[in-house]
Amino acid sequence: MIIVQISDPHISVPECDFEQLYQTKKRLETAIEAINRLDPKPDAIFLTGDLINCGQMDEYKILKKVLQKTDIPIFLGIGNHDNRENFLSSFGSEPYLSDDNFIQYSVEKQGLRMLMLDTNIENCPNGLLCAQRLDWLEKTLSEKPDIPTVIFMHHPPFKTGIVTMDRMGLNEAEKFGRVLENHPQVMRIFCGHIHRPIQSMFHGVMAQVCPSTSHRVLLHLSDEERLATTAEPPEMLLHHWDGKQLVTHSAFTDDYPVLWELEGALY
């Protein structure tokens, strides 16, 4: 099974300066086209938040039209740039969503359980898993303790060293960590938010950040505050599950030519 993760498309309306700078719609379309060309065909696509840039209905309409360009099942999560009410107005009929107040759900395919968490705080760049959301996670994990599980969420639960982004991180992350300690079936945590490929351990679980399909945040590991974006190429993550092991590959969304290929047998 191949699960594609893309994150932080930040879809915006055509006339705004943000769209003129980042061309978010075009870049998400490029990512979807790249996913459609993958062989073998992926089984699912997970989007880990900041689906749009300003929380507007017009942005969600653009997003929906772009996502209709693939027939691969898509599962959406929200980030700090999203508006939960407008998201539900646009995508609330999706069958994987529950009637809960939060965008949290479980999907199970080929022996792997995939949970989406909602870290959105209204009108705040930080994330939070409040008591209600953590109770849902505890209950959901307790229902099937023997099934390998991965978690998708927007805000990474660990500090990245990019101090300006870390100030907009997941509040009270240790409470989330204490839930994980009770559930060893959780294999991986897949996040977004930072727009860069980053990995770290968190309470015994490998956590990984997926880059944006739109733009990169500058790699700045000084203690001085700095926030900038770069023209580094957009990426996506491909999670390969063989029934026992989960392996993650990073792939650019743009095409790069094959320079050399072996002909015939290697040995």
Side-chain angles (χ1 to χ4, degrees), residues 171-241:
N171 296 344
E172 302 179 18
E174 291 305 303
K175 293 182 179 179
F176 172 49
R178 287 196 288 274
V179 173
L180 295 178
E181 290 174 358
N182 297 324
H183 300 282
Q185 77 267 31
V186 178
M187 305 170 62
R188 302 277 285 281
I189 302 167
F190 298 120
C191 317
H193 190 54
I194 311 294
H195 292 226
R196 297 202 63 85
I198 309 169
Q199 302 85 34
S200 182
M201 295 298 294
F202 179 74
H203 286 255
V205 181
M206 175 60 74
Q208 186 165 3
V209 177
C210 179
S212 168
T213 60
S214 174
H215 54 281
R216 290 284 190 100
V217 166
L218 176 71
L219 178 59
H220 180 69
L221 298 177
S222 167
D223 290 337
E224 298 176 358
E225 291 275 354
R226 185 182 182 192
L227 184 60
T229 59
T230 75
E232 295 170 85
E235 288 185 67
M236 57 187 171
L237 297 181
L238 308 181
H239 309 300
H240 181 265
W241 168 248

Side-chain angles (χ1 to χ4, degrees), residues 73-185:
I74 298 176
F75 301 93
L76 302 176
I78 64 172
N80 50 287
H81 279 260
D82 288 290
N83 177 284
R84 192 179 289 110
E85 181 178 348
N86 287 344
F87 169 85
L88 288 172
S89 294
S90 301
F91 294 98
S93 62
E94 294 295 328
Y96 58 83
L97 293 174
S98 68
D99 295 329
D100 200 338
N101 292 327
F102 297 108
I103 315 304
Q104 302 200 145
Y105 53 86
S106 172
V107 177
E108 193 171 326
K109 290 177 176 286
Q110 298 187 33
L112 183 68
R113 205 172 186 212
M114 295 159 279
L115 309 186
M116 180 67 78
L117 299 184
D118 178 343
T119 61
N120 174 279
I121 306 173
E122 187 175 358
N123 299 319
C124 179
N126 294 73
L128 178 68
L129 291 169
C130 62
Q132 184 178 345
R133 284 175 269 194
L134 288 177
D135 286 346
W136 178 91
L137 177 61
E138 173 69 42
K139 177 178 179 293
T140 302
L141 289 172
S142 297
E143 289 171 349
K144 297 185 177 182
D146 299 323
I147 297 180
T149 300
V150 298
I151 291 174
F152 291 92
M153 57 195 292
H154 183 68
H155 292 81
F158 60 89
K159 300 291 185 183
T160 67
I162 303 174
V163 293
T164 308
M165 293 300 297
D166 287 340
R167 295 188 196 283
M168 298 182 280
L170 184 69
N171 296 344
E172 302 179 18
E174 291 305 303
K175 293 182 179 179
F176 172 49
R178 287 196 288 274
V179 173
L180 295 178
E181 290 174 358
N182 297 324
H183 300 282
Q185 77 267 31

